[in-house]
Amino acid sequence: ALQSAAFVITEENFDSLIASIDTDGDGKIAFEEFVNFYTDMEERKKWDSIRDEMEGKLPGTPSTMTIIGRVKAGVNVRNVNLNRLFQQFNGGGHPKAASATAKLENESEAEAVLHGLVDELIETSLDQQLRVGDFMQSPVLSAKPTMTEKQIEDLFIRYDVRALPVVDDNNEVIGLVSYKEVSAAKMRLINKQEKRLRQIEKAVADGRKLPEDRPLESAVKGWMKQKVQLAEASLTMAEVEQLLLETDVGYVPVVAEGTKQLVGMVTRTDLLRQHRYYSSLHYHNKGFSDSIAARKPIIELRKRLKKFDVENE
């Protein structure tokens, strides 16, 4: 039972333990004797002293902890250098994938070592984050609210864009127009033109006066997206990426902090250009799973790093 519980003791210590339980000295341990011994240990806390005495006679063995680091696909990896981080343990490798073996006096030091590495990683690498203003498209093409379907379509074709912010005379964002709005506006315009032709044909057939020739095109301010999500140039790359994911859009106008003044545009493509490392397959190995309590220190470290992730996980 002691061996299965990971206790290793000498024969002398084992005999001493049995003798302390066998109070009547008959060489047998009755159930009542065992209960009394256990109760006595709980009350007087003898077990700690006995265990300490037994462990004190065992030769100490150094422990080691293997640390494997790999940069997960994310927005804050540019300044991470795991090779340099692990050199303090005589480890190393690639800046984005490295390993080291830390020597420990005992296993209880493992948590402190991991906390120290996480603190250093955050202070030296993850706190230095790109801002939207560092990689946005600027200057950016914009549309005026008086432009028609044809004019907007010409801009899309000429400059090969998929979305344009709409600004007023003060260069403040008042809307957004994408290829979807342009397509819908063009379809409405075609319907109007076909209706006009039918009216003309009917008027000619009936010998009536032709309908008034009024312009059929409409200004973009009437069919643009008016509720537009904006991003300030001071936002971090992680924040604007989360914004794109939550709103399910592919582009966001960038404005000066505290205003609606257009200063740029950021798209999913712009974000992808900043990603130099691709996400890897998740590693699930149930054979190495521990209890929730055993994983608590790692879970706490993960929470600290979670805010720097792309996923929330």
Side-chain angles (χ1 to χ4, degrees):
L2 289 174
Q3 288 181 347
S4 63
F7 285 98
V8 180
I9 61 176
T10 63
E11 183 177 353
E12 180 182 354
N13 286 336
F14 179 76
D15 292 339
S16 175
L17 177 63
I18 296 300
S20 63
I21 301 175
D22 185 17
T23 55
D24 58 9
D26 62 354
K28 300 178 181 179
I29 298 178
F31 178 75
E32 184 178 354
E33 290 177 328
F34 178 78
V35 172
N36 291 337
F37 173 75
Y38 180 80
T39 303
D40 185 56
M41 285 194 301
E42 287 294 314
E43 293 176 353
R44 295 163 51 185
K45 297 183 179 179
K46 282 185 175 181
W47 179 242
D48 287 340
S49 60
I50 294 174
R51 185 181 60 187
D52 291 342
E53 180 181 354
M54 289 188 297
E55 291 180 350
K57 294 182 180 180
L58 293 176
T61 56
S63 300
T64 59
M65 176 176 62
T66 301
I67 308 169
I68 301 175
R70 185 175 183 181
V71 173
K72 185 179 181 181
V75 297
N76 306 309
V77 302
R78 174 170 296 182
N79 299 305
V80 174
N81 191 328
L82 297 179
N83 177 49
R84 183 173 61 244
L85 181 67
F86 288 165
Q87 284 180 0
Q88 58 187 296
F89 299 110
N90 296 321
H94 190 273
K96 309 305 177 184
S99 63
T101 300
K103 294 182 179 180
L104 311 173
E105 292 295 329
N106 54 70
E107 293 183 0
S108 63
E109 294 180 351
E111 183 175 349
V113 170
L114 291 177
H115 274 286
L117 286 172
V118 170
D119 289 339
E120 185 176 347
L121 184 62
I122 293 175
E123 293 173 3
T124 62
S125 305
L126 298 181
D127 282 340
Q128 303 174 25
Q129 302 179 41
L130 282 177
R131 302 289 172 175
V132 176
D134 297 329
F135 60 89
M136 67 181 181
Q137 299 178 29
S138 180
V140 64
L141 186 67
S142 61
K144 294 295 183 181
T146 55
M147 287 183 171
T148 64
E149 296 94 338
K150 178 62 176 175
Q151 291 172 320
I152 296 294
E153 184 182 20
D154 287 344
L155 289 177
F156 273 57
I157 295 174
R158 183 183 306 174
Y159 296 100
D160 191 24
V161 295
R162 296 173 63 85
L164 288 174
V166 183
V167 299
D168 59 15
D169 294 336
N170 298 319
N171 199 40
E172 291 189 349
V173 179
I174 59 174
L176 183 76
V177 58
S178 70
Y179 69 96
K180 292 182 180 179
E181 284 75 43
V182 174
S183 298
K186 282 184 60 182
M187 184 59 64
R188 288 192 295 269
L189 179 59
I190 292 173
N191 291 336
K192 291 178 183 178
Q193 292 171 340
E194 291 178 348
K195 182 178 180 181
R196 172 68 61 83
L197 287 176
R198 289 195 297 269
Q199 289 174 342
I200 293 174
E201 291 174 354
K202 184 173 178 58
V204 170
D206 296 342
R208 292 184 289 105
K209 183 181 178 180
L210 296 179
E212 185 180 351
D213 188 16
R214 294 177 300 178
L216 299 179
E217 293 185 340
S218 57
V220 67
K221 63 182 179 182
W223 44 272
M224 66 183 182
K225 289 181 180 179
Q226 296 185 359
K227 294 183 178 180
V228 182
Q229 182 67 58
L230 305 177
E232 294 186 348
S234 59
L235 290 181
T236 65
M237 189 174 168
E239 290 170 335
V240 75
E241 188 163 19
Q242 188 63 31
L243 181 64
L244 287 173
L245 292 173
E246 290 176 351
T247 57
D248 193 26
V249 295
Y251 24 74
V252 173
V254 182
V255 295
E257 189 169 2
T259 71
K260 289 188 176 182
Q261 291 284 326
L262 180 67
V263 295
M265 192 86 162
V266 63
T267 68
R268 289 177 180 172
T269 303
D270 298 324
L271 291 171
L272 289 173
R273 289 194 183 104
Q274 304 304 315
H275 287 274
R276 300 185 179 183
Y277 301 92
Y278 297 92
S279 57
S280 59
L281 295 175
H282 293 288
Y283 179 70
H284 296 296
N285 192 333
K286 296 182 179 180
F288 289 92
S289 296
D290 294 323
S291 65
I292 295 297
R295 297 198 303 267
K296 187 175 181 181
I298 302 298
I299 294 174
E300 293 301 321
L301 291 177
R302 187 72 187 95
K303 287 180 179 178
R304 294 182 58 194
L305 294 173
K306 190 69 174 177
K307 63 180 180 180
F308 299 103
D309 283 356
V310 175
E311 305 176 349
N312 209 333
E313 123 263 280

